[in-house]
Amino acid sequence: MKKSAFSLHVDLESFMPASAEDKEYMVQMRPSSTFFKDGIKRLRRNKVAIVSFYIVLFITLASIVLPMLWPYSYESMLGVVPGKPVDASYNNLSPFKYGSTELRKIEAGEKVFPHVFGTDSSGRDYFIRVVYGARISLSVGFFASIIVLVIGLTIGAISGYFGGKVDLILMRIVDIIYSLPDMLMIILLASVLRVSLGPAIENTIFAKLGSNVISLFIVFGALYWVSMSRLIRGQILNLREQEYVLAARASGARGPRIITKHLLPNCMSVIIISTALQIPSAIFTESYLSFLGLGVNAPMPSLGSLASEALNGLTTYPYRLVIPAIVISLIVLSLNLFGDGLRDAFDPKLRT
Amino acid sequence: MSTKSLVYILKRIVLAALTVFVVITITFFVMHAVPGGPFLSEKAVSPGVLKALEAKYGLDKPLLTQFFNYLSGIFTRLDFGPSLQLRGREVLDIIVGGMKTSFKLGVIASALALISGIVLGSVAALRRNKIADNIIMVITTAFVSMPSFIMGSLLLVLFTIKYTVFPANGSTSAGLILPIITLSLYPMAYITRLTRSSMLDVLGQDYIRTAKSKGVPRIRIIFGHALKNSLIPVITYFGPMFAYIVTGSLVVEQIFAVPGIGRAFVNSITGRDYPLIMGTTIVLASLIVIMNLVSDILYKIVDPRINLD
């Protein structure tokens, strides 16, 4: 039916039944997506976070795999052979230089694996020490965060769930621990614990880790749980009162469904994000303590203790400081950026 | 000021006092939990001499009596006892002596951090998403992720060994330049980011739009309207910045050989000088708690709208 452009007649075509094609267009195309799929999708779009993730993954894998393949170990002094005087030519080798016995081997046509970063003042292969140091730093950071997570989650959940007097008392304790100057207390506790723990853990599986690492974990567990527990308590208190929880309850949902479908997923993002951001801060603290000589027991290297050992020969071997410095900054920076990316992806409310 | 803010301030003061007390208690009992006591670490001492020494320092009395003696010594006479390593010197003397240098270091570093941080942050906010902003953000992100000891060591390598610009010894005035820069970089980066985000927040407010539409010049808007309000969050950072500078100075003084309280503290730990460890921990911790208190109260006074509880 032809219709003039200015006619006020109703366009009948607008009132025709919809064709199958039109109907399909109106159907919601996107399949419903879960909270995690959604978050991962957002995370994938964040290039900085992805690059950081791969850097962390690379360093982690390297620190696990390389010590297995490398022909040198982090503690063996290459110049020391049982029954012979110490061969000083192995100490303080520059990168890609060899000790006296190795040079003889090379002349004889044998292949000797190069010391990529040279050796340290006791003749230990420096490359593997850096790799091992990264491994120690990463694992201390990871396990310390797990400890913090478990303690913080338990106390925060108890506080938020029971409320009332329990909440009041727990939160006052949290307040006081929170206002303690953490670094000073950590130094104090670490300096004492490493002395008093030594005899206590002898002949147990912990002895292998060394008293200093255990004392680090204790200190982290004792002091850093407070912010996590505050966060989780606040989250639970807040979520309990949300309208969608009320709506779920009104439409007949029971406790377990509300907990698994509403409370947990919403807490989850906070838990993941703050644990992810806890790891770099734990690595930071560990390297700081190691730098002061309060970290891991010698001869175990950590990035902080490597940096502090390097200070002695700084004029001649500046690269021995620069290498662990770069590795530690890279780890902390990428973990921070990845944590920020996680926060943006999983907690859109916090996004600025 | 409303009664509500007064109650809040009172609460904060009580909490701070309680925290200082907890610090002293933890320090005391932790130090006395060390096996062997302070006199066993060095060369072997005969039991008779050991008894005499313990009697002299009051270590033979019950632990609680010792604790109350220590407490009353601190609060009535500021007496932290004698140092064990440096014979004949009082802990308080060492702390006061070290404090002079560290105070100078800390004050200049915080001033530097504040001024440059606020300037850089404002520039970044006003030039949002332009080159200047991007450069500032990249640099500050790097600085925030670099531990102070790494920063200090790298600066040491660069400016005293590679290019001899500054002396490596921190006991002279010129030698304090590098430690000051090292200490100020992290707080500077943090303040820059803080100022940038709060400035962006303020610039989006209605009253800025009103001022713009009235035809107020850009300079007046920035300095007269925006800057003042965007500096409020920076006040909250005073306390943490002080804590950072205190803990940062522990390693920075070690790296640059600055004769301050931080170096005394680190040396006391390696030398197991228990009275000095206790004294320094208590003094530094109390200062940090007090600075946090001051910055919280200041925040409340400057912006009464904020409900902190």
Side-chain angles (χ1 to χ4, degrees), chain A residues 93-108:
Chain A
L93 285 177
S94 306
F96 293 105
K97 289 282 187 306
Y98 299 95
S100 58
T101 47
E102 283 176 344
L103 281 175
R104 242 170 282 145
K105 271 189 196 170
I106 292 171
E107 271 171 32

Side-chain angles (χ1 to χ4, degrees), chain B residues 59-275:
Chain B
L59 294 175
D60 51 349
K61 298 197 184 74
L63 202 58
L64 268 182
T65 324
Q66 283 184 46
F67 179 56
F68 287 117
N69 283 345
Y70 190 70
L71 267 187
S72 71
I74 293 174
F75 285 113
T76 54
R77 290 167 276 127
L78 270 179
D79 178 14
F80 292 95
S83 162
L84 293 179
Q85 295 280 312
L86 307 155
R87 286 286 146 89
R89 285 194 67 189
E90 291 287 313
V91 167
L92 188 67
D93 289 345
I94 301 174
I95 293 177
V96 171
M99 207 63 129
K100 280 180 195 151
T101 315
S102 301
F103 191 71
K104 199 158 60 175
L105 199 70
V107 167
I108 301 177
S110 358
L112 189 66
L114 264 178
I115 295 169
S116 46
I118 290 171
V119 170
L120 286 177
S122 312
V123 169
L126 295 172
R127 293 246 167 278
R128 188 184 186 183
N129 292 335
K130 298 210 174 105
I131 297 171
D133 180 28
N134 291 338
I135 291 174
I136 289 173
M137 287 319 278
V138 166
I139 290 175
T140 52
T141 310
F143 282 170
V144 165
S145 303
M146 224 188 253
S148 52
F149 65 87
I150 297 287
M151 186 88 75
S153 317
L154 291 181
L155 285 178
L156 187 72
V157 173
L158 207 60
F159 290 113
T160 64
I161 293 164
K162 200 115 200 289
Y163 311 99
T164 325
V165 184
F166 299 111
N169 194 322
S171 43
T172 56
S173 288
L176 283 182
I177 296 173
L178 274 186
I180 287 171
I181 293 176
T182 310
L183 271 184
S184 65
L185 282 180
Y186 176 87
M188 182 206 78
Y190 198 92
I191 291 172
T192 304
R193 296 162 72 96
L194 210 60
T195 312
R196 178 182 179 269
S197 69
S198 82
M199 181 75 113
L200 283 178
D201 200 35
V202 169
L203 286 178
Q205 300 270 325
D206 288 344
Y207 70 89
I208 297 289
R209 201 184 327 144
T210 311
K212 262 186 204 157
S213 56
K214 275 192 340 188
V216 180
R218 194 174 150 82
I219 296 284
R220 275 269 310 273
I221 291 181
I222 293 166
F223 287 100
H225 300 269
L227 194 61
K228 238 191 284 173
N229 272 328
S230 59
L231 288 187
I232 291 173
V234 177
I235 294 174
T236 50
Y237 185 59
F238 281 171
M241 176 169 73
F242 184 78
Y244 171 82
I245 284 182
V246 167
T247 46
S249 67
L250 297 189
V251 289
V252 170
E253 287 181 9
Q254 196 73 7
I255 295 169
F256 293 102
V258 180
I261 192 171
R263 206 155 75 116
F265 186 49
V266 174
N267 289 342
S268 72
I269 288 172
T270 40
R272 296 201 194 163
D273 189 346
Y274 295 110

Side-chain angles (χ1 to χ4, degrees), chain A residues 176 179 183 187 288 291 321 333, chain B residues 18-19 145 153 247 250 269:
Chain A
I176 288 177
S179 47
M183 223 26 149
I187 293 173
Y288 179 92
F291 189 79
L321 173 73
L333 181 65
Chain B
L18 204 60
T19 310
S145 303
S153 317
T247 46
L250 297 189
I269 288 172

Side-chain angles (χ1 to χ4, degrees), chain A residues 19 116 221 229 282 302:
Chain A
S19 66
V116 180
S229 75
S302 107

Side-chain angles (χ1 to χ4, degrees), chain A residues 172 175-176 179-181 183-185 187-189 191-192 194-196 199 284 287-289 291-292 294 303-304 307-308 311 314-316 318 321-322 324-326 328-329 332-334 336-337 340 352, chain B residues 15 18-19 22-23 26-27 30-31 33-35 141-142 144-150 153-154 156-157 161 186 193 246-248 250-251 255 265-266 269-270 272 274 277 281 284-286 288-289 292:
Chain A
R172 286 300 85 79
D175 276 348
I176 288 177
S179 47
L180 287 178
M183 223 26 149
L184 285 175
M185 290 292 120
I187 293 173
L188 184 80
L189 288 175
S191 66
V192 170
R194 62 203 276 263
V195 183
S196 47
F284 213 98
S287 61
Y288 179 92
L289 288 178
F291 189 79
L292 287 180
L294 293 170
L303 293 172
S308 107
L311 274 185
L314 201 52
T315 10
T316 359
L321 173 73
V322 175
I326 289 175
I328 199 160
S329 308
V332 173
L333 181 65
S334 345
N336 270 328
L337 289 175
D340 285 348
T352 45
Chain B
L15 181 65
L18 204 60
T19 310
V22 169
V23 166
I26 291 178
T27 313
V30 157
M31 279 292 134
V34 180
T141 310
V144 165
S145 303
M146 224 188 253
S148 52
F149 65 87
I150 297 287
S153 317
L154 291 181
L156 187 72
V157 173
I161 293 164
Y186 176 87
R193 296 162 72 96
V246 167
T247 46
L250 297 189
V251 289
I255 295 169
F265 186 49
V266 174
I269 288 172
T270 40
R272 296 201 194 163
Y274 295 110
I277 300 179
T281 310
L284 290 181
S286 309
I288 291 175
V289 170
N292 272 324

Side-chain angles (χ1 to χ4, degrees), chain B residues 44-64:
Chain B
V45 187
S46 74
V49 176
L50 189 67
K51 265 232 159 73
L53 272 174
E54 283 188 339
K56 188 185 166 200
Y57 291 114
L59 294 175
D60 51 349
K61 298 197 184 74
L63 202 58
L64 268 182

